[in-house]
Structures are given as C-alpha cells and as structure tokens.
Amino acid sequence: DTAVSQTPKYLVTQMGNDKSIKCEQNLGHDTMYWYKQDSKKFLKIMFSYNNKELIINETVPNRFSPKSPDKAHLNLHINSLELGDSAVYFCASSSRQTGSGYTFGSGTRLTVV
Amino acid sequence: EDQVTQSPEALRLQEGESSSLNCSYTVSGLRGLFWYRQDPGKGPEFLFTLYSAGEEKEKERLKATLTKKESFLHITAPKPEDSATYLCAVQASGNTGKLIFGQGTTLQVKP
C-alpha cells in the first residue's frame, strides 16, 4: 500500500494551460503539504493544510491554488502555466500531534513547453 | 531568517571509506532537525529526527549527531547502495510543521 500517492507522475503541457496534481495519503496524518523542488534539488514549501484548513501559504503566485476536500487529500491546481513552473512537485503528510517526520510522495515532474 | 546550509554539495567515496556530511543551521528555536535520503526520481525518505544538542541516532551505517549550530551525518564503511542525495531540514519551534531544507549533499560511493 502506497502511503502518499501523487498523480500524475509526469506532466508535460504547453504554456498557458491549466493543470491539476492530485495527492492522497492513507496514514491517518492530519497535515498535508505541497513542496516544490527546483533543478538544483532545493525543496521549498508552498502550502500546508491541517484538517482541511490552510495553515501555510508561502509567497506563491495566485495561479497556484490548493484544495483539500478532506484530510486525506490535497490537490494542487495551477492556472496559466509558465515556463518557470517547470519543477518537481512533492506532496507530503505528517502528524502534528506526534511531531513525526514527513512522509513524501514520489513526486510529479511538471514540464512546461 | 531561518536557514540551512549543507556541505559539501557533492562527495565521492570509495566503498568502505568513511566520511561525514555537514548541516549548519540558524533557526529561531529548534523544534527538530531532520535527515532524509533521496534517490533519483523518488521522494525524500525519512531517516532521523534529532531534537536537542548532544542527541545521536543510528541506523545501519548511518549516525546522526546534533549540536546547537550543526548536525553531522556520519557514514561508516559505505556501500554503493548508500549513493543518494542526503537532505537536512529544520523545523522551528511554534511552527506549523513547516520544514526548511538545505540544498542537499549528493553522495556517490564507488565499488
């Protein structure tokens, strides 16, 4: 059983398009995150939800909109894609109560052409 | 500003050649320091959490240590399968769970 699963794994799209990435966790964690990893492998937080409530919203363009229908799911919708959005996007989850380390998904490699 | 710096950026070792990776940090109250391993095309995999200066944790050939300013990941007698990128991250106290990552150290172990 995959603990944190993301779909799709690869996404190639043209500039200006709108796309979504889905994430689901079956660990019973109460907090989920979206991180962006650039070409130099630097991981930077974008958003975090705790029990469906947005708790972290870093300086991210308004074109990025997270949605959490329940505490096991966190989706990322991106409008009007730009070349600079090309990166690997990771979903992760954790338990704030236990202070455990994150469990990451396998990532979605987004390429904007 | 909370910050994490890892060194070296890349490290090449012969199998069996022990070494250490460094993670220097500045944070407004440390809640935890985390080490992850990332293989190409995969998500980071959790290794250790350290909470206070003087703490040490071990797993197979890896040992993580923590001081008030830095953490070390010691690799003893590494094998080729230890080749990966090792990421360090800190979580500040009173934080919302946010982790601040360093840029990673890419380790290559040659047979």
Side-chain angles (χ1 to χ4, degrees):
Chain A
D1 263 353
T2 304
V4 180
S5 59
Q6 291 179 235
T7 54
K9 187 165 176 65
Y10 300 98
L11 189 53
V12 181
T13 187
Q14 290 188 327
M15 282 174 54
N17 283 351
D18 302 339
K19 291 292 179 185
S20 292
I21 307 172
K22 295 185 176 182
C23 179
E24 175 181 5
Q25 56 97 2
N26 62 4
L27 298 166
H29 287 164
D30 55 10
T31 307
M32 296 184 73
Y33 311 83
W34 279 110
Y35 274 77
K36 179 179 180 180
Q37 188 170 47
D38 61 25
S39 57
K40 294 185 178 181
K41 297 198 174 179
F42 185 63
L43 271 164
K44 189 171 181 183
I45 193 166
M46 300 173 70
F47 302 103
S48 173
Y49 272 77
N50 177 256
N51 286 321
K52 301 195 297 177
E53 180 185 352
L54 181 66
I55 56 172
I56 296 175
N57 185 350
E58 293 289 293
T59 308
V60 177
N62 291 337
R63 300 180 294 103
F64 290 79
S65 53
K67 286 206 173 115
S68 181
D70 56 61
K71 70 175 190 177
H73 295 83
L74 180 62
N75 303 322
L76 183 65
H77 188 75
I78 315 170
N79 289 325
S80 303
L81 278 155
E82 300 177 356
L83 292 175
D85 297 332
S86 296
V88 182
Y89 293 84
F90 285 100
C91 177
S93 70
S94 71
S95 170
R96 287 181 72 184
Q97 289 181 335
T98 64
S100 63
Y102 290 5
T103 301
F104 281 87
S106 57
T108 295
R109 181 174 291 278
L110 171 66
T111 303
V112 182
V113 296
Chain B
E1 183 184 348
D2 300 334
Q3 194 170 356
V4 178
T5 303
Q6 291 186 245
S7 61
E9 273 192 37
L11 182 62
R12 295 171 107 180
L13 299 173
Q14 288 297 127
E15 185 172 2
E17 180 187 0
S18 302
S19 188
S20 297
L21 281 54
N22 177 263
C23 171
S24 297
Y25 65 91
T26 53
V27 65
S28 52
L30 182 69
R31 184 174 180 190
L33 184 140
F34 299 79
W35 282 98
Y36 287 85
R37 169 191 170 129
Q38 186 174 22
D39 293 296
K42 295 190 177 181
E45 176 188 343
F46 173 73
L47 292 174
F48 305 108
T49 308
L50 301 167
Y51 295 103
S52 57
E55 190 175 358
E56 298 182 352
K57 288 195 176 169
E58 284 188 70
K59 179 180 179 180
E60 297 180 355
R61 295 176 292 283
L62 300 177
K63 179 179 174 181
T65 61
L66 181 65
T67 72
K68 288 187 177 179
K69 293 183 180 179
E70 58 192 350
S71 176
F72 291 93
L73 184 65
H74 306 279
I75 304 177
T76 303
K79 297 182 178 181
E81 53 261 42
D82 294 322
S83 298
T85 296
Y86 290 85
L87 299 167
C88 173
V90 297
Q91 186 177 76
S93 57
N95 204 274
T96 51
K98 169 183 171 180
L99 290 185
I100 299 165
F101 282 85
Q103 76 276 32
T105 294
T106 299
L107 172 66
Q108 184 180 29
V109 181
K110 293 193 166 184

